[in-house]
């Protein structure tokens, strides 16, 4: 599933091609992709509008239109947003035609991605927590937000209301880098652990963006190319292999219903027990 670095890569790829252009036509090939409003109103809302800017918020793609409204996409599990794909895509759900002949194709084999047209972006993204790479996400802000949470640290990091943009891959990588077991209660983290985790979250996300995202199966950038971050992962999907830090065997468990990878030696569940 695309997480913050993958969506950031797509948005950065598309920016020079779409900002300032006009949307002349929208082909809605699978109407149920539209979460709100109705499919007819969605097409009427987007068609004919100029694109002011494209940005990422959490895992959402936000496109501001020149009447002040917003076209918003969430790729979910298998969605791709492609610029001028060379061949007809049998999984194309929405095709957006720009005034210079360019096409933006939202393709999604599993049909879980969603499109929105709204007057205010907050209607869709208002529930999201802070941006982990944003200037206002300071260590102090992280410390404050962690207070009083009894759930496991992994499920809290996956909660988009707590922090926007992390998914299964980057959460496991950040917890490994910080040496924190994914099943630790969030409220049990020491000040030093919180600081390590704060820095680890920002490091794994920045590295993911630098390597243009992680591709295991579906994710592609806006030009159809896979990312390179999967080659640099230290813990995710590496069960049975040696930990790159200590050599112990990497384990897999389930946390918050998600496959979770960790090193039992570098990430002890109980402090002081190695
Ligand atoms: Zn280890």
């Amino acid at each position: 599933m695309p997480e913050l670095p993958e969506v950031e890569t797509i948005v950065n790829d598309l920016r020079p091609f779409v900002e300032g252009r006009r949307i002349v036509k929208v082909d809605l090939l699978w109407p149920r992709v539209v979460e709100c409003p109705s499919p007819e109103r969605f097409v009427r809302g987007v068609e004919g509008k100029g694109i002011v800017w494209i940005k990422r918020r959490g895992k959402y793609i936000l496109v501001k239109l020149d009447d002040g409204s917003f076209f918003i996409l969430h790729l979910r599990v298998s969605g791709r947003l492609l610029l001028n794909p060379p061949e007809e895509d049998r999984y194309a759900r929405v095709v957006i035609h720009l005034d210079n002949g360019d096409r933006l194709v939202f393709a999604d084999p599993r049909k879980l991605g969603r499109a929105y047209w709204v007057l205010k972006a907050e209607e869709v993204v208002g529930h999201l927590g802070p941006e982990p790479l944003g200037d206002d996400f300071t260590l102090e802000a992280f410390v404050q937000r962690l207070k009083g949470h009894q759930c496991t640290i992994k499920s809290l990091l996956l909660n988009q209301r707590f922090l926007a943009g992390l998914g299964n891959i980057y959460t496991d990588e950040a917890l490994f880098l910080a040496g924190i077991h994914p099943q630790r209660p969030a409220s049990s983290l020491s000040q030093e652990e919180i600081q390590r985790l704060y820095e680890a979250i920002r490091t794994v996300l920045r590295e993911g963006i630098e390597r243009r995202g992680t591709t295991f199966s579906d994710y592609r950038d806006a030009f159809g190319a896979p990312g390179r971050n999967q080659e640099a992962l230290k813990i995710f999907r590496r069960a049975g292999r040696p930990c790159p830090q200590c050599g112990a065997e990497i384990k897999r468990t389930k946390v918050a219903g998600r496959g979770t990878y960790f090193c039992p030696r570098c990430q002890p569940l109980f402090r002081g027990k190695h």
Side-chain angles (χ1 to χ4, degrees), residues 121-169:
E122 290 70 36
E123 292 175 49
V124 179
V125 297
H127 67 287
L128 294 176
E131 284 291 327
L133 296 177
D135 291 339
D136 53 350
F137 183 63
T138 59
L139 175 59
E140 282 65 44
F142 190 43
V143 170
Q144 288 304 319
R145 290 185 76 78
L146 275 169
K147 274 184 182 159
H149 283 286
Q150 302 301 316
C151 61
T152 65
I153 186 63
K154 172 151 183 180
S155 57
L156 190 59
L157 293 178
L158 288 174
N159 181 346
Q160 301 299 298
R161 290 173 190 273
F162 177 75
L163 194 61
L166 282 175
N168 211 29
I169 298 172

Side-chain angles (χ1 to χ4, degrees), residues 49-233:
K49 305 283 166 64
I51 295 175
V52 180
W53 50 245
I54 182 167
K55 285 182 188 173
R56 180 194 57 74
R57 175 77 175 98
K59 301 178 199 172
Y60 290 85
I61 297 169
L62 272 61
V63 177
K64 186 173 188 180
L65 304 173
D66 60 357
D67 66 344
S69 65
F70 291 86
F71 161 51
I72 300 178
L73 263 180
H74 195 299
L75 304 174
R76 297 274 183 89
V77 177
S78 61
R80 298 174 183 175
L81 187 58
L82 301 163
L83 181 73
N84 299 326
E87 286 156 40
E88 190 106 335
D89 195 321
R90 59 189 283 235
Y91 300 116
R93 309 299 177 203
V94 185
V95 181
I96 292 175
H97 300 268
L98 302 178
D99 55 358
N100 62 345
D102 278 350
R103 286 171 302 124
L104 267 185
V105 177
F106 175 56
D108 186 11
R110 295 210 224 170
K111 294 185 173 179
L112 293 167
R114 287 293 176 265
Y116 309 77
W117 176 72
V118 288
L119 298 178
K120 289 192 169 74
E122 290 70 36
E123 292 175 49
V124 179
V125 297
H127 67 287
L128 294 176
E131 284 291 327
L133 296 177
D135 291 339
D136 53 350
F137 183 63
T138 59
L139 175 59
E140 282 65 44
F142 190 43
V143 170
Q144 288 304 319
R145 290 185 76 78
L146 275 169
K147 274 184 182 159
H149 283 286
Q150 302 301 316
C151 61
T152 65
I153 186 63
K154 172 151 183 180
S155 57
L156 190 59
L157 293 178
L158 288 174
N159 181 346
Q160 301 299 298
R161 290 173 190 273
F162 177 75
L163 194 61
L166 282 175
N168 211 29
I169 298 172
Y170 295 94
T171 299
D172 280 7
E173 290 292 313
L175 287 167
F176 172 72
L177 196 56
I180 296 168
H181 193 286
Q183 284 173 308
R184 289 273 305 279
S187 58
S188 75
L189 268 57
S190 69
Q191 182 69 29
E192 195 192 318
E193 286 173 326
I194 294 172
Q195 179 158 2
R196 286 208 308 264
L197 182 57
Y198 171 81
E199 280 158 14
I201 289 168
R202 291 165 66 105
T203 298
V204 299
L205 292 175
R206 285 204 187 102
E207 289 180 357
I209 294 169
E210 271 168 37
R211 298 190 188 102
R212 301 187 55 78
T214 304
T215 299
F216 280 114
S217 54
D218 293 304
Y219 165 70
R220 296 289 182 277
D221 66 21
F223 310 116
R228 290 180 283 109
N229 197 52
Q230 62 281 1
E231 297 152 16
L233 296 177

Side-chain angles (χ1 to χ4, degrees), residues 226-264:
R228 290 180 283 109
N229 197 52
Q230 62 281 1
E231 297 152 16
L233 296 177
K234 295 183 170 68
I235 198 92
F236 188 78
R237 289 208 185 169
R238 299 182 61 82
R241 296 202 226 177
C243 165
Q245 212 156 267
C246 77
E249 191 184 303
I250 294 171
K251 298 288 182 196
R252 182 185 191 276
T253 184
K254 269 204 167 180
V255 182
R258 311 289 300 274
T260 296
Y261 301 83
F262 66 100
C263 170

Side-chain angles (χ1 to χ4, degrees), residues 9-22:
T9 301
I10 292 170
V11 165
N12 289 341
D13 285 353
L14 290 176
R15 186 167 292 118
F17 294 94
V18 305
E19 287 187 355
R21 301 249 67 102
R22 187 159 297 277

